Amino acid sequence: MEKTINFIPLDYDSFDFQDKNYIKIVGRTEDGKKACIIDDFPAYFWVILQKGLKDKQIKKLQNKIETISIKKAKRTSKVIKTELHQKNFLGKSVPALKLFITNYKDAPKITELLDFKEIDHRREFDLNIITKYIIEKKFKPMNWYKIQGELLNNSEDFGNLDASLDVDICIKANEITRSESQPDFKPKILCYDIETDNVEIGSEPILMISLYGENNFRKVLTWKSKDTTLSYVETFEDEEDMLEAFVKYVKEYSPDILSGYFSDGFDLPYLKARADKNKFKLNLGIDNSQPVFSRGRILTGKIKGIIHLDIFRFIRSIYSQYLQSETLSLNDVSSELLNEKKAEWEHKHSSKIKPNEWENYFKYNLQDSILTYKLAEKLLPDIIEFTKIIQEPLFNVSRDAMSAQVENYIMHNLEKYNEIIEKRPHAHQIGARRAEERYEGAFVLQPIPGLYEDIVFFDFTSMYGSVIVTYNLSKSTYSHKRKPDSLKVELENQKAYFSKKQGFFPQMLNEIIKKRKQCKKEYALDKNPFTKAKSNSYKLLANAAYGYQGFFGARYYQLEAAAATAALAKEKIKETIEKIKSKGHEVVYSDTDSIAFLQNKKSNKEIQELLEEINSKLPGIMELDFEGFFKRGIWVTKRTGEFGAKKKYALIDKNNNLKIRGFETVRRDWCTLARETQNKILKTILEDGNEKKAVEHVKEVIKKLKERKIPLQKLIIKTQLKKPIEEYKAQGPHVIIAKRMQEEQKIKVPIGTLIKYYISESTKKRALIRERAKLPDEKGEYDIEYYLNNQLLPAVENILEVFKINTKELVDGKKQTNLMDF
DNA sequence: GACTGAACTATACC
DNA sequence: ACGGGTATAGTTCAGTC
């Protein structure tokens, strides 16, 4: 039966039927029904031919290729037909054969048989099948389409596929056209969280599972305690019954997105492992399949027909640059984004929980799902807009690293350039790229330490991106030797040349930057969160494009283009600094794309005119922007030597808002006491314009510390493990503490763990710091001398030095601090 | 055992 | 393995006397 529906694709999957590839897309219809679209997949890839082949030679080659057939264990795969096309590859026009094959999965195998001398390159055999499908059919995620096709209703097509799918409607597509109207789509989200006694996946039973969804849908499922009056708690006989109810509720709710926080790495694999132990099928998929885990660098959990969204993964790979949370824990991120915290619950083994305590545990468990739901709601505009722009499924976009996002964007936008997609680098190429010498990067101006007044900040908008566009720096425009009408860029040990004819990479980047500008304008007029999200997405892409060209895993890697980008950016900012100086302004500081200088009694209007004048002479799309006026700013010396420290300064604006960069205040590996004290003195100095109050405050803190009146809590030092503990060559304090945590307390300390410790007094003379490091709850007295000399004073010394104050004089009994004082 | 520079390590800036 | 280079600064390590 013929059927036409309006449909929005959400989740993509591929399957084989009679040895051919098909794509299965799950999404929603306009009236909110869950639908599945089956579409065929034209499996093909390209071989790029040598130039100047005669028609006869090509025909002969085609005939040879068309006989290729390979047998794998289960299927025979062959070349169906070939077509000759004129395509572009890396900006050059090339003759190419389009090879249609029966099964795309065998494309790499078939390319191995194509070692004919007439063939220069084989391409597009190494794409993800869904990526290739979306490019080919332009059936893009999170957009509305009109689907016209055959209704599958208990039909025998595809082996009764439709009958096994838990959807309202299933259609074999004949025609897919983009709808004119694109109404807003609000996906149905369900969030979940589990609690266990042991974090080792599957090691012990799951104690409870919470669920939270729209219209205040809330559940806590448990089998541990039946003693509760909380209406949302449901109790079961055993773990298996609880798991069964979990699956039942998910299916009834029928979410588009099932979301957890770190659920890829914990909740979902744990659920699966416990289901296995109970010999129970965790059949969450719409085809009743169980979650499937792919082992990349990190575990990834996929559920068929439902988008499994791990909010933590998205935050870590994309969103963390907008956050200032010290860790990406649910608690820290929720505090920052939602101004809400996890519920109070002191973790203890379930055997030690008293009957009247369980309710608090249930509330805690539910709160985690609620926070995850709120985070999902908050971040979804960003995730959806990014998905629409990148044109990959939300499942991938929410997990991919920035390099993959840039690459996917490129691949999905190459068609209008008639370009064949470059291949992924081989392992040996990656090795060679990684071994390449590093190139010279950005310029950082050495500041002269001091307190300054009335500071102006300018910065270049998307500087590196605008340089790439302006000078046409990319793989397809690069040449190692001079060509007519090419731009020469002097690098450290070589010269690089870039053609003036615009390449697709700079052209695409130009579009991205233009769209960003447009969105920004739009948002200024109408504060729509989706416009903001779109603007953010383009900004992210524009900023990542430079790093992409220098990234060893990139299809369009060109180190010379990256090096030239940095070199030209450096040249331009230096010229701009000179220009500002020539107008009588003292330039205080500059880092990469920003310049700070003294207003020097000039009016704001004159500053604006200066900006316009500079802009009128900048090349291409390069643009300098006004960042802000600051009433005061402080730059300090390095700890060693008397020169000004780079990447370390503090500013205050007219509304007394602080902007602190690089100082210990913003570093999480310093104890709270040092950070708070430093923050306070920076604030008073910048507010008052003098150091008087700051000195008094420091004296007070020193006194308290010496009297041991500072609580230990403020002296805990946190350091993150950046690699497995056995790989450390130097046994620093945090490494020793981590080892003890693992050996004495049986606490797992994987990469990324934030190790907490304090430095205690020692009976031994000249003991190493690591020998004095103790766990926060370990008995001992903190070492006053250490905290004075290694934490507090270093944090305030360089700041007070600007006012010629010797910190040591603030310390009573200086002989303990420095023997030279005698 | 004291001292010193190099190596290792973590974190921040843009 | 999953953007790039620039920079500060603490602690340990290894060599010297």
Side-chain angles (χ1 to χ4, degrees):
Chain A
M1 199 177 88
E2 280 266 323
K3 179 93 182 165
T4 303
I5 57 167
N6 277 319
F7 175 85
I8 187 165
L10 305 174
D11 186 58
Y12 295 68
D13 190 21
S14 67
F15 67 96
D16 283 7
F17 182 67
Q18 292 171 353
D19 290 352
K20 283 176 69 183
N21 309 119
Y22 289 90
I23 308 295
K24 188 164 73 189
I25 305 114
V26 176
R28 290 271 175 197
T29 64
E30 217 171 12
D31 46 4
K33 285 185 177 141
K34 205 159 210 182
C36 175
I37 308 295
I38 310 290
D39 196 6
D40 43 38
F41 174 75
Y44 75 86
F45 64 96
W46 292 99
V47 294
I48 298 169
L49 302 178
Q50 280 183 352
K51 277 191 184 167
L53 291 177
K54 300 208 169 66
D55 289 354
K56 237 170 102 182
Q57 285 174 293
I58 293 174
K59 199 77 216 152
K60 208 174 143 192
L61 179 67
Q62 281 179 287
N63 288 338
K64 264 196 280 185
I65 290 174
E66 282 169 7
T67 63
I68 288 175
S69 163
I70 57 166
K71 257 205 180 110
K72 297 252 289 191
K74 277 185 182 161
R75 61 173 179 264
T76 303
S77 208
K78 58 188 177 188
V79 177
I80 301 166
K81 61 169 178 175
T82 61
E83 289 172 359
L84 181 64
H85 290 257
Q86 197 64 27
K87 296 285 290 182
N88 288 331
F89 182 60
L90 297 176
K92 293 190 184 73
S93 182
V94 291
L97 288 181
K98 192 174 188 178
L99 261 74
F100 289 90
I101 57 176
T102 46
N103 193 306
Y104 190 66
K105 282 191 281 222
D106 296 324
K109 274 264 172 270
I110 292 176
T111 61
E112 287 172 19
L113 302 173
L114 294 171
D115 55 348
F116 303 111
K117 64 177 191 313
E118 297 90 340
I119 296 174
D120 268 354
H121 308 288
R122 300 156 293 189
R123 291 295 184 270
E124 293 194 16
F125 57 85
D126 62 353
L127 272 69
N128 174 299
I129 191 165
I130 301 299
T131 305
K132 191 108 167 69
Y133 170 79
I134 295 171
I135 293 171
E136 192 58 28
K137 296 280 182 118
K138 300 175 196 64
F139 191 24
K140 303 169 192 174
M142 294 284 171
N143 286 280
W144 288 98
Y145 291 87
K146 196 172 97 182
I147 315 288
Q148 183 253 312
E150 230 20 72
L151 186 70
L152 301 183
N153 195 0
N154 281 322
S155 82
E156 284 171 23
D157 296 359
F158 308 111
N160 267 327
L161 177 78
D162 70 285
S164 64
L165 290 183
D166 187 16
V167 291
D168 301 314
I169 185 169
C170 188
I171 292 174
K172 165 74 175 70
N174 288 328
E175 209 184 331
I176 298 171
T177 43
R178 200 163 183 280
S179 307
E180 264 177 43
S181 76
Q182 295 284 328
D184 284 343
F185 174 69
K186 198 171 173 278
K188 211 171 164 191
I189 311 168
L190 180 62
C191 291
Y192 71 112
D193 182 65
I194 66 167
E195 299 300 334
T196 64
D197 277 329
N198 191 326
V199 291
E200 178 123 8
I201 303 295
S203 58
E204 286 178 52
I206 295 170
L207 306 172
M208 61 186 87
I209 307 170
S210 64
L211 289 163
Y212 188 81
E214 61 185 28
N215 301 324
N216 208 16
F217 175 85
R218 54 177 73 201
K219 295 276 174 219
V220 172
L221 316 175
T222 187
W223 59 284
K224 289 300 284 186
S225 166
K226 301 200 162 88
D227 190 15
T228 177
T229 54
L230 294 169
S231 60
Y232 53 80
V233 177
E234 286 184 31
T235 61
F236 300 90
E237 275 313 304
D238 53 26
E239 189 184 25
E240 188 181 348
D241 282 358
M242 175 185 73
L243 291 171
E244 197 183 327
F246 170 69
V247 173
K248 188 194 85 179
Y249 277 123
V250 172
K251 291 203 171 237
E252 276 177 16
Y253 187 94
S254 183
D256 297 307
I257 295 175
L258 181 65
S259 183
Y261 200 86
F262 195 50
S263 49
D264 261 351
F266 185 68
D267 303 72
L268 197 59
Y270 210 117
L271 280 161
K272 174 70 166 60
R274 291 310 301 175
D276 289 348
K277 285 227 163 118
N278 282 288
K279 298 193 168 51
F280 171 73
K281 289 249 179 292
L282 198 72
N283 52 346
L284 291 164
I286 56 158
D287 57 353
N288 282 324
S289 63
Q290 303 196 72
V292 176
F293 297 92
S294 58
R295 285 203 173 269
R297 205 163 41 99
I298 2 179
L299 215 55
T300 295
K302 201 164 172 32
I303 303 168
K304 292 206 171 172
I306 297 174
I307 301 171
H308 179 231
L309 170 65
D310 183 345
I311 296 283
F312 167 76
R313 292 271 303 259
F314 174 74
I315 289 175
R316 190 179 51 183
S317 54
I318 308 296
Y319 209 78
S320 57
Q321 54 185 304
Y322 291 129
L323 300 180
Q324 46 186 42
S325 304
E326 267 169 34
T327 75
L328 297 181
S329 67
L330 179 60
N331 199 45
D332 278 9
V333 173
S334 304
S335 305
E336 184 176 347
L337 291 176
L338 309 170
N339 202 17
E340 228 178 301
K341 285 186 176 297
K342 280 167 78 110
E344 296 261 345
W345 173 252
E346 197 188 320
H347 274 287
K348 51 181 139 182
H349 195 274
S350 58
S351 60
K352 297 200 174 117
I353 297 172
K354 297 187 191 93
N356 63 345
E357 291 174 330
W358 279 96
E359 283 201 350
N360 278 337
Y361 205 2
F362 298 148
K363 285 178 189 165
Y364 171 86
N365 180 220
L366 181 66
Q367 174 69 357
D368 277 7
S369 283
I370 294 175
L371 290 176
T372 307
Y373 185 85
K374 289 182 177 173
L375 283 176
E377 268 195 322
K378 175 130 191 167
L379 298 179
L380 218 51
D382 287 87
I383 301 175
I384 289 176
E385 287 310 312
F386 211 43
T387 298
K388 284 166 127 173
I389 289 167
I390 305 295
Q391 301 178 36
E392 280 285 298
L394 193 150
F395 180 86
N396 304 70
V397 169
S398 63
R399 289 174 174 77
D400 281 347
M402 273 318 289
S403 62
Q405 315 276 13
V406 173
E407 191 152 285
N408 284 326
Y409 181 88
I410 295 170
M411 294 198 289
H412 284 285
N413 285 280
L414 275 179
E415 207 203 11
K416 60 175 171 256
Y417 302 95
N418 197 30
E419 272 273 333
I420 291 173
I421 298 168
E422 176 60 298
K423 72 168 188 306
R424 210 183 289 136
H426 285 134
H428 68 269
Q429 280 176 298
I430 290 180
R433 290 175 179 186
R434 298 191 74 183
E436 283 204 69
E437 224 169 284
R438 285 166 45 142
Y439 59 86
E440 198 178 283
F443 169 71
V444 188
L445 183 113
Q446 180 133 46
I448 295 167
L451 182 70
Y452 296 88
E453 306 230 323
D454 295 322
I455 302 154
V456 187
F457 259 76
F458 284 169
D459 61 12
F460 283 89
T461 38
S462 296
M463 191 191 210
Y464 281 31
S466 69
V467 168
I468 292 171
V469 173
T470 299
Y471 296 101
N472 207 22
L473 312 172
S474 71
K475 175 165 180 162
S476 76
T477 51
Y478 166 75
S479 166
H480 67 283
K481 45 183 197 251
R482 201 183 70 81
K483 286 191 172 167
D485 201 29
S486 61
L487 168 81
K488 180 165 94 175
V489 184
E490 299 269 0
L491 302 178
E492 277 161 292
N493 309 313
Q494 58 174 320
K495 295 173 180 68
Y497 300 89
F498 296 91
S499 77
K500 299 246 167 107
K501 190 185 153 227
Q502 229 191 6
F504 61 83
F505 189 98
Q507 222 168 310
M508 260 183 220
L509 188 51
N510 198 10
E511 291 290 315
I512 290 167
I513 293 170
K514 268 192 206 157
K515 281 181 180 154
R516 160 96 217 282
K517 262 191 178 166
Q518 206 183 305
C519 290
K520 236 180 143 179
K521 251 190 214 162
E522 230 174 272
Y523 184 72
L525 297 173
D526 173 20
K527 304 252 185 276
N528 180 329
F530 281 89
T531 314
K532 173 89 182 166
K534 222 196 239 178
S535 170
N536 282 345
S537 300
Y538 284 120
K539 182 184 175 183
L540 277 167
L541 267 181
N543 290 339
Y546 156 72
Y548 173 80
Q549 296 203 98
F551 168 55
F552 53 76
R555 287 174 194 259
Y556 294 101
Y557 172 83
Q558 193 67 56
L559 199 64
E560 293 83 354
T565 307
L568 289 164
K570 196 175 199 167
E571 190 182 300
K572 287 299 148 196
I573 197 149
K574 282 186 172 174
E575 283 172 20
T576 309
I577 288 170
E578 287 313 311
K579 181 116 192 189
I580 293 169
K581 277 189 187 166
S582 75
K583 297 285 171 183
H585 295 280
E586 186 187 339
V587 172
V588 179
Y589 187 61
S590 168
D591 184 347
T592 313
D593 60 356
S594 68
I595 301 171
F597 60 95
L598 302 185
Q599 192 163 357
N600 197 16
K601 308 268 185 256
K602 295 264 172 63
S603 69
N604 293 5
K605 189 165 163 274
E606 282 170 296
I607 296 297
Q608 185 61 34
E609 282 163 5
L610 171 64
L611 181 66
E612 278 161 24
E613 194 196 324
I614 295 168
N615 270 322
S616 69
K617 286 176 187 154
L618 282 173
I621 68 162
M622 289 192 73
E623 192 184 1
L624 195 63
D625 196 11
F626 172 74
E627 222 269 319
F629 289 118
F630 296 91
K631 72 176 178 190
R632 281 192 197 94
I634 188 167
W635 275 263
V636 302
T637 57
K638 290 210 282 182
R639 196 137 305 155
T640 49
E642 65 267 51
F643 296 112
K646 299 171 178 182
K647 300 191 185 285
K648 226 175 177 186
Y649 59 91
L651 303 165
I652 194 164
D653 68 13
K654 292 183 172 54
N655 304 317
N656 280 352
N657 294 314
L658 284 176
K659 183 172 168 176
I660 300 177
R661 293 289 120 100
F663 275 112
E664 286 75 7
T665 303
V666 298
R667 293 182 61 99
R668 69 167 176 207
D669 56 349
W670 282 72
C671 74
T672 311
L673 178 76
R675 297 173 68 186
E676 281 180 353
T677 309
Q678 188 186 59
N679 191 62
K680 178 104 183 240
I681 69 167
L682 283 173
K683 190 171 185 319
T684 57
I685 287 170
L686 291 171
E687 274 176 4
D688 303 351
N690 68 61
E691 78 288 6
K692 273 182 127 177
K693 267 198 239 161
V695 171
E696 287 316 304
H697 181 66
V698 172
K699 278 186 186 165
E700 264 173 55
V701 176
I702 291 171
K703 187 161 175 278
K704 272 194 193 162
L705 179 61
K706 297 189 93 177
E707 292 168 356
R708 208 179 278 289
K709 281 184 183 156
I710 304 287
L712 181 63
Q713 205 52 43
K714 286 194 185 295
L715 302 175
I716 302 297
I717 298 166
K718 296 179 232 163
T719 314
Q720 194 182 33
L721 279 185
K722 306 291 271 187
K723 51 187 174 189
I725 41 176
E726 60 277 8
E727 279 177 28
Y728 280 91
K729 287 178 191 160
Q731 307 290 303
H734 73 299
V735 179
I736 294 301
I737 292 295
K739 280 187 175 165
R740 286 184 47 206
M741 282 166 75
Q742 195 168 65
E743 278 153 30
E744 294 167 20
Q745 307 188 324
K746 308 288 170 214
I747 298 170
K748 288 230 155 194
V749 281
I751 305 176
T753 313
L754 208 53
I755 306 294
K756 296 178 187 144
Y757 58 92
Y758 73 96
I759 303 304
S760 66
E761 289 179 323
S762 167
T763 46
K764 210 170 110 186
K765 256 202 160 191
R766 304 195 69 85
L768 288 172
I769 289 157
R770 66 155 175 251
E771 293 167 313
R772 295 185 278 149
K774 284 189 172 172
L775 287 147
D777 51 7
E778 200 173 333
K779 243 183 101 181
E781 297 281 8
Y782 59 76
D783 184 2
I784 291 169
E785 288 300 308
Y786 174 84
Y787 281 100
L788 199 56
N789 294 322
N790 298 41
Q791 292 277 330
L792 185 62
L793 295 184
V796 300
E797 236 161 22
N798 297 317
I799 297 166
L800 295 181
E801 195 190 281
V802 167
F803 304 94
K804 307 267 179 280
I805 290 170
N806 186 344
T807 333
K808 290 184 187 83
E809 286 167 18
L810 301 181
V811 185
D812 296 325
K814 30 194 140 151
K815 61 180 189 264
Q816 290 171 335
T817 325
N818 196 328
L819 290 168
M820 294 300 282
D821 289 346
F822 273 117

